[in-house]
Structure formats: C-alpha cells, structure tokens
Amino acid sequence: MHKERAIARHEVREIEQRHTMDGPRQDTVLDEEDDMVIIYNRVPKTASTSFTNIAYDLCAKNKYHVLHINTTKNNPVMSLQDQVRFVKNITSWKEMKPGFYHGHISYLDFAKFGVKKKPIYINVIRDPIERLVSYYYFLRFGDDYRPGLRRRKQGDKKTFDECVAEGGSDCAPEKLWLQIPFFCGHSSECWNVGSRWAMDQAKYNLINEYFLVGVTEELEDFIMLLEAALPRFFRGATELYRTGKKSHLRKTTEKKLPTKQTIAKLQQSDIWKMENEFYEFALEQFQFIRAHAVREKDGDLYILAQNFFYEKIYPKSN
C-alpha cells in the first residue's frame, strides 16, 4: 500500500514538474486578456448548472478552459493545506488560462496567500425559501439533468409543507443558512448559524470582492451584463441562453410550492430574516449595476455604449 502511494505521489510530482519546469509555455508571458481566471463558487440550487452549461458551451469558441472543482462530500470549506494548493494551482497553471473554475466552495481570499493577481469572483443567489424548497425536493426526486442518479433522500415522499408542520430537520430554518456563509468564507464565525458578523462580512465581500453577483430570478440579465463586461469569456452568451432556455434549465421533478402558512412559519425565524436581508441587499446591488449599464426600449434591454472619453491630453504630441 505504501509503495503504491509512493509511486502515485511520484507520478503526480512528475506531471507537476512537466507542467511547471519544462513546459513549453513556462517562459511565455500571457497577455492581459489571457492571464485571467474567473471563480464561480456556486451556491447549490441557484440555477448554477444552467449557467455553467453556458460556460461549457462557449469555451471552445471563445478559447478558455472550464474546470469543475470537486471537493470531497461537496464540503464548501477547504483545509488550510488544500487552500494553499488551490491558490497555487489557479495562479500558476498557465496552460489553463484563461480559466473558468466552478464548484460548491465558500469564498476564499487570495490576498492572504500573497499572490500578485487575484481571480475574478462571480456568483448567483436566490430567494432563500425558494432555494430551500428546490433543494428539499432535489434530494428526494433529483432532476431532469441526471434522472437515473439515486438521490440521498429518495423514497421519502413527505412534502415540504408536511416537513415544516412537523418541525423536520431537512426544512428547519437552520437549513436556510447557506448563502451567507458561502459569501462570508473560510472563517469559523461564517458557519455559526445566525451570526450577524457573518452577514456583515458576506455583504462586505459581495461589494468588495465580487465582480458581479446575479439573482436566479433574473439570470438572463446577469448573463447579458457579463457578456458586456467580460466578452473574452462570455461573447455570445446572451444569445445562447435565449435560444437554449428550455434545454439549459434543469427542473427539479415533483416540486410542490409551499403554502402561505408554511412560508409565514419560516419567515418568523431570525435565520430567514438575515438570509433574506442578505438576498435583498444582493438584489438591490445587482439592480443598481444593471440600471447604470443598460437602457430600456420597447420592453427590451440594450447595453449602453462607452460613455466616457479622454480629453485635454498634455503634453501635445507632434
């Protein structure tokens, strides 16, 4: 066993050396456009698969790489040593640049690791109760994306309403605490359910560390803004989304909408109030960015052309 592990380790080291030392592109300096990495640290059940499918569909045409970050048991918190590996990979893996990385991991601050250039973070969030309902049924019935896959709670026919009425653990308010810690990150306090500090940190990160955060309910506008701002990756994305709307969206099967009573019960909890405050904060910020980037004409949105220029440039060149 030890011998096998030693051989495997040796092979990994050889591959790493090949990529870093003798790699043909080691000395090549990537131009600004290509030396770019986007991280989409997806929150589960926020239409993330629909969006990543667009990234996959465009990567060959727009010449970038897409990589899925698959963590053991979908754990969103990485060990310290894995954080170092991850930061090193993303920063120095030139063969994979420009790169689009996606996975269910919480926000990681690259500045802590002394890197010269940080990646661009983007994300999408969803109304917290709708996200929980979607996740609840997804665990029981799966979706139309991988219909044959057996899900964790398969066979449990209890509706979300019944779960809330009985005070079940799968629909408990604690299960709403997910979008805040995903944006808050790798600190202990982020995962303390109901922490006001965590919510404030999540808001801070959303404003200061994320390039753009969209909402599931307005996914098309999110894609449209990304295409306008980061065409190197997203050229053609809006058109692709519009034409393939049906095929891109995975549907959680057997989903029943919760009753007003169920929603009212969940809304009494402080956890919902905080997750909802964070969601409203993100929504307002997204709408603010959109309002300054588009104009509306006959019910359609159009991206604004460049609205600034340079003048009074001195000294005058001959």
Side-chain angles (χ1 to χ4, degrees):
M1 186 64 189
H2 287 304
K3 192 179 175 192
E4 281 173 17
R5 204 173 291 157
I7 291 169
R9 233 181 252 138
H10 177 69
E11 284 174 355
V12 168
R13 209 169 296 130
E14 272 199 328
I15 292 165
E16 280 177 351
Q17 279 174 346
R18 218 176 303 142
H19 274 299
T20 53
M21 316 247 301
D22 339 308
R25 294 179 59 187
Q26 187 51 27
D27 297 318
T28 59
V29 177
L30 296 172
D31 68 44
E32 198 71 26
E33 280 252 284
D34 287 346
D35 188 15
M36 195 189 279
V37 170
I38 291 176
I39 297 181
Y40 171 34
N41 64 317
R42 313 157 45 168
V43 180
K45 305 316 295 169
T46 53
S48 59
T49 302
S50 316
F51 178 54
T52 45
N53 281 345
I54 286 171
Y56 277 113
D57 288 348
L58 289 173
C59 67
K61 192 165 130 209
N62 289 349
K63 296 187 171 59
Y64 61 88
H65 302 270
V66 183
L67 299 91
H68 178 222
I69 312 147
N70 190 347
T71 57
T72 307
K73 291 183 179 170
N74 272 344
N75 188 351
V77 177
M78 285 181 169
S79 69
L80 190 61
Q81 59 273 31
D82 272 350
Q83 291 176 38
V84 173
R85 289 181 191 116
F86 180 58
V87 169
K88 198 173 152 191
N89 289 156
I90 278 190
T91 312
S92 58
W93 200 356
K94 284 188 180 175
E95 288 82 1
M96 289 297 140
K97 285 182 182 177
F100 179 97
Y101 291 77
H102 65 99
H104 296 314
I105 52 164
S106 59
Y107 170 75
L108 185 63
D109 180 9
F110 275 60
K112 279 207 288 203
F113 300 86
V115 299
K116 289 190 188 77
K117 188 170 181 179
K118 297 204 303 190
I120 293 170
Y121 269 97
I122 60 171
N123 217 327
V124 175
I125 70 171
R126 186 176 189 176
D127 174 280
I129 292 180
E130 283 182 16
R131 195 206 67 78
L132 182 60
V133 171
S134 180
Y135 192 58
Y136 178 87
Y137 286 113
F138 172 69
L139 289 181
R140 281 153 183 76
F141 301 103
D143 57 22
D144 57 3
Y145 190 63
R146 289 191 286 175
L149 196 64
R150 192 170 170 77
R151 298 293 172 184
R152 213 171 2 170
K153 299 277 180 175
Q154 207 160 316
D156 178 1
K157 297 280 191 278
K158 198 180 290 174
T159 68
F160 187 78
D161 290 323
E162 288 165 349
C163 177
V164 170
E166 292 168 17
S169 63
D170 276 355
C171 55
E174 286 75 17
K175 286 285 194 292
L176 289 166
W177 192 258
L178 194 68
Q179 300 192 129
I180 285 173
F182 256 74
F183 278 79
C184 178
H186 275 69
S187 309
S188 165
E189 187 65 19
C190 296
W191 299 88
N192 282 345
V193 177
S195 162
R196 185 148 289 276
W197 180 89
M199 182 180 71
D200 290 342
Q201 187 63 36
K203 285 180 177 178
Y204 177 89
N205 287 344
L206 184 139
I207 296 297
N208 294 288
E209 304 295 345
Y210 280 80
F211 180 76
L212 185 65
V213 176
V215 292
T216 304
E217 295 75 13
E218 295 170 21
L219 200 59
E220 186 175 313
D221 293 354
F222 171 69
I223 290 165
M224 188 177 176
L225 289 174
L226 282 177
E227 179 171 357
L230 299 171
R232 176 70 187 79
F233 284 82
F234 297 107
R235 188 174 286 109
T238 315
E239 189 53 38
L240 188 64
Y241 180 75
R242 281 176 184 158
T243 52
K245 231 177 216 169
K246 304 272 188 299
S247 61
H248 273 299
L249 284 174
R250 40 195 295 195
K251 297 273 187 291
T252 297
T253 46
E254 309 275 341
K255 189 157 67 179
K256 289 180 82 167
L257 294 174
T259 61
K260 284 197 174 89
Q261 293 92 315
T262 298
I263 291 169
K265 192 173 176 184
L266 282 172
Q267 288 178 343
Q268 285 165 8
S269 85
D270 287 341
I271 298 162
W272 174 80
K273 286 172 186 157
M274 291 173 87
E275 273 280 347
N276 194 60
E277 183 183 325
F278 178 66
Y279 170 73
E280 296 283 351
F281 179 83
L283 178 62
E284 197 175 308
Q285 174 64 8
F286 174 69
Q287 289 172 341
F288 177 85
I289 290 173
R290 182 178 61 191
H292 286 81
V294 302
R295 64 183 173 84
E296 193 177 347
K297 192 182 176 197
D298 304 327
D300 284 327
L301 295 182
Y302 296 91
I303 291 289
L304 291 172
Q306 184 166 319
N307 259 332
F308 74 92
F309 59 94
Y310 305 103
E311 58 177 12
K312 297 177 183 170
I313 303 167
Y314 287 85
K316 295 278 189 199
S317 53
N318 297 325

